[in-house]
Amino acid sequence: MVYSAVLRNGEPKGNNCGSYKRSVSLKGSRNGSEGAWGILWILCAALAVFLLIAVSPVSAGEQVMAGNPELSAHIVGTNEFSPGDDLSLQAEIENTGLNEFMIVKSGIISPGDLSSTAKQLTVTLGAGDAPLVVKADPQIAGDLPASQSATEAFHITVNKYAPAGVYQLPVILNYTYLYQANQEGSETLNYQYKSVNQTILVPIHIKPQIEIAVSDVQADNLNAGIEGYVNLTVKNVGSDNGQNAVVQVRQSQDSPLVPTEGSNYIGDFPVGVVTNCSFRVTVDHDAQQKTYPLDVLVYYKNYEGDYVDSPIETVGVPVGQKVKFTMTPVDASMSPGGKTVLTYQVQNVGGTTAYNAEARISAIVPFTCNDDTSFLGTIAPGETRTASFDITADSDATVKDYGMDAEVLYRDSLDNQFTSDPLKANIQVVPPFNPVNLIGLPALIVILLAVLAAAGYGAYLRWFKPR
């Protein structure tokens, strides 16, 4: 028997064995000696046993004669994504290669590698023509034997304005495999490997959806501490024609802008359509004069008939300075036990108009308010109004400066009532009028003597002067 075995992948393999024929011709009569036949069979059996003993090894080697890696790739889980998605994509690589047949024979060396194993496998995910970015380096999967699989993760970000459609992502596989193993002598096996660069296209589907772009933001009487309007111009720049659409605004995290009327129904919202919406918003009292975020989105029925939210678009909304007042005394002094009308100048130093404003004070000891409220009317930024209060001081009031608590109540342009920050109405208690304190005692004596002298001289002229 002649034997030849070369391990090659992708090429014809075979076990070329020589043919063996045996032809026996016996001529003679049936009367031949049966003893001769017995001797012949004994000799043949002995020869067969001898040959088996001579050629049979203690252990046999084996060689796989055919097989190579057969790799495929697919996405684990869903292959549908939305514009703006930022996620981890799982790609599974499967080796379906087979070892077709094996030879076991004495005198050959068993290879350490199988030809169906993909060795040093590296997996790379490309974007192809898909509107996305792959944010991952090539992944090293190592050796992948036949009938096994490996899963690699790739971070991808889909373009926010990605057009809907089916795209092919290239999965690039680089590996080597055992192509040929030649035995040289009884103790040496020469390996020959081949490198493979294989590209497999896996499909993904980017779903249609509404994407919005806010091109204009206008604030109407939107100041800290009051309520106003936000006017938006919104365009559908996505790939889905929304139905029963409602444009909504929501508070953005800890923003001081809180919508009080945050929905605007617009109905059908096809791709490319522009709509103008107005929303009522309250601004926190502690907000500063600057721009704050506000979230905008569209709630709509999509192409599958499901009601969904569009991705959020965050816009900046300018907030003006809050309403602020100052109170300056004009005539705010009185004596113990006195009753008077105190007047103050109230000025609007804020950023918006106060409507139907009125000033109010809270009396403290030793004062009593006979009228603690003064109507001011409408005060635009920078304008001043006079506030008057009827006050009585106790007779035992200490002579010094006092400060009474005051505030201004007002309404905004939407007729919501607000109260200003606390103010101070300063008032001064002064001693009662006393001439001695005004001109001093010596001067007072001189004045009195002069008055008496004048009075005496007048009496003299009238009664004692000779006629």
Side-chain angles (χ1 to χ4, degrees):
M1 179 182 291
V2 179
Y3 168 78
S4 64
V6 177
L7 177 58
R8 292 185 179 178
N9 177 48
E11 296 183 5
K13 302 102 182 167
N15 185 358
N16 300 323
C17 300
S19 62
Y20 175 82
K21 293 183 179 181
R22 187 179 73 174
S23 177
V24 178
S25 176
L26 295 175
K27 296 183 179 179
S29 68
R30 185 176 178 85
N31 295 328
S33 173
E34 293 182 358
W37 280 104
I39 293 172
L40 178 62
W41 283 111
I42 292 173
L43 291 175
C44 288
L47 179 61
V49 171
F50 175 79
L51 292 174
L52 288 173
I53 295 175
V55 301
S56 295
V58 176
S59 60
E62 60 185 30
Q63 285 189 346
V64 178
M65 296 302 296
N68 61 283
E70 295 289 344
L71 302 187
S72 62
H74 64 274
I75 293 175
V76 179
T78 181
N79 70 335
E80 291 189 341
F81 308 106
S82 299
D85 279 352
D86 187 86
L87 49 85
S88 178
L89 185 148
Q90 306 286 326
E92 184 176 45
I93 314 303
E94 186 176 4
N95 186 354
T96 57
L98 296 175
N99 297 321
E100 296 179 4
F101 60 90
M102 177 183 296
I103 289 180
V104 180
K105 185 178 180 297
S106 64
I108 62 174
I109 304 173
S110 299
D113 288 333
L114 296 178
S115 62
S116 59
T117 298
K119 299 184 66 62
Q120 302 173 1
L121 174 61
T122 300
V123 184
T124 304
L125 179 66
D129 62 350
L132 58 81
V133 177
V134 179
K135 301 178 179 179
D137 294 328
Q139 304 296 303
I140 300 175
D143 294 350
L144 184 60
S147 301
Q148 293 191 21
S149 62
T151 301
E152 303 298 333
F154 299 89
H155 183 196
I156 67 169
T157 300
V158 183
N159 191 312
K160 182 178 180 180
Y161 303 108
V166 176
Y167 300 89
Q168 303 292 331
L169 298 186
V171 178
I172 304 169
L173 308 176
N174 288 280
Y175 62 94
T176 61
Y177 71 95
L178 180 61
Y179 169 68
Q180 181 173 312
N182 295 324
Q183 183 170 339
E184 299 175 356
S186 60
E187 297 181 354
T188 303
L189 193 61
N190 182 16
Y191 289 157
Q192 295 183 25
Y193 292 88
K194 273 191 176 182
S195 296
V196 176
N197 184 299
Q198 179 183 359
T199 299
I200 302 174
L201 298 179
V202 295
I204 65 167
H205 178 214
I206 296 182
K207 299 183 293 185
Q209 74 174 20
I210 285 181
E211 289 281 349
I212 61 172
V214 180
S215 59
D216 187 46
V217 179
Q218 297 292 331
D220 184 9
N221 290 321
L222 201 61
N223 294 78
I226 65 173
E227 193 175 42
Y229 282 98
V230 175
N231 303 310
L232 304 176
T233 300
V234 182
K235 181 179 181 180
N236 181 359
V237 295
S239 53
D240 195 7
N241 298 311
Q243 297 178 332
N244 298 332
V246 179
V247 182
Q248 300 178 349
V249 292
R250 298 176 183 174
Q251 183 182 14
S252 180
Q253 298 182 354
D254 297 329
S255 173
L257 302 177
V258 181
T260 51
E261 294 180 3
S263 297
N264 198 314
Y265 180 81
I266 59 174
D268 291 341
F269 195 31
V271 175
V273 167
V274 178
T275 184
N276 295 311
C277 306
S278 184
F279 304 93
R280 194 166 176 170
V281 177
T282 297
V283 185
D284 186 81
H285 184 269
D286 295 326
Q288 304 297 314
Q289 184 179 2
K290 63 180 184 180
T291 299
Y292 289 97
L294 183 67
D295 291 342
V296 186
L297 67 153
V298 176
Y299 176 74
Y300 68 101
K301 184 167 72 172
N302 67 7
Y303 70 104
E304 295 178 324
D306 298 325
Y307 281 89
V308 295
D309 289 335
S310 72
I312 291 175
E313 178 81 2
T314 301
V315 299
V317 179
V319 172
Q321 184 181 6
K322 66 181 179 181
V323 177
K324 186 177 181 181
F325 299 94
T326 59
M327 181 173 281
T328 305
V330 176
D331 185 4
S333 63
M334 60 189 308
S335 299
K339 179 180 179 181
T340 187
V341 175
L342 305 181
T343 57
Y344 298 87
Q345 291 291 325
V346 179
Q347 184 179 16
N348 181 356
V349 294
T352 189
T353 300
Y355 299 90
N356 297 326
E358 57 182 34
R360 185 169 59 186
I361 63 173
S362 299
I364 59 174
V365 177
F367 303 102
T368 302
C369 291
N370 304 311
D371 183 8
D372 61 356
T373 302
S374 178
F375 182 76
L376 304 175
T378 298
I379 313 177
E383 290 186 346
T384 301
R385 296 289 185 271
T386 300
S388 301
F389 306 97
D390 190 359
I391 305 294
T392 299
D394 294 343
S395 58
D396 59 351
T398 303
V399 175
K400 66 174 186 177
D401 293 336
Y402 294 86
M404 290 187 292
D405 292 332
E407 60 189 8
V408 177
L409 279 68
Y410 63 96
R411 293 182 178 274
D412 63 8
S413 59
L414 302 178
D415 203 33
N416 299 304
Q417 182 170 299
F418 298 93
T419 302
S420 71
D421 292 337
L423 302 171
K424 280 296 181 182
N426 296 320
I427 182 172
Q428 185 179 34
V429 175
V430 298
F433 178 75
N434 188 339
V436 175
N437 295 333
L438 182 63
I439 63 176
L441 183 59
L444 181 60
I445 293 175
V446 172
I447 293 173
L448 289 175
L449 289 175
V451 170
L452 290 174
Y457 181 72
Y460 168 76
L461 292 178
R462 181 175 180 182
W463 300 104
F464 300 104
K465 183 176 180 180
R467 296 184 182 271

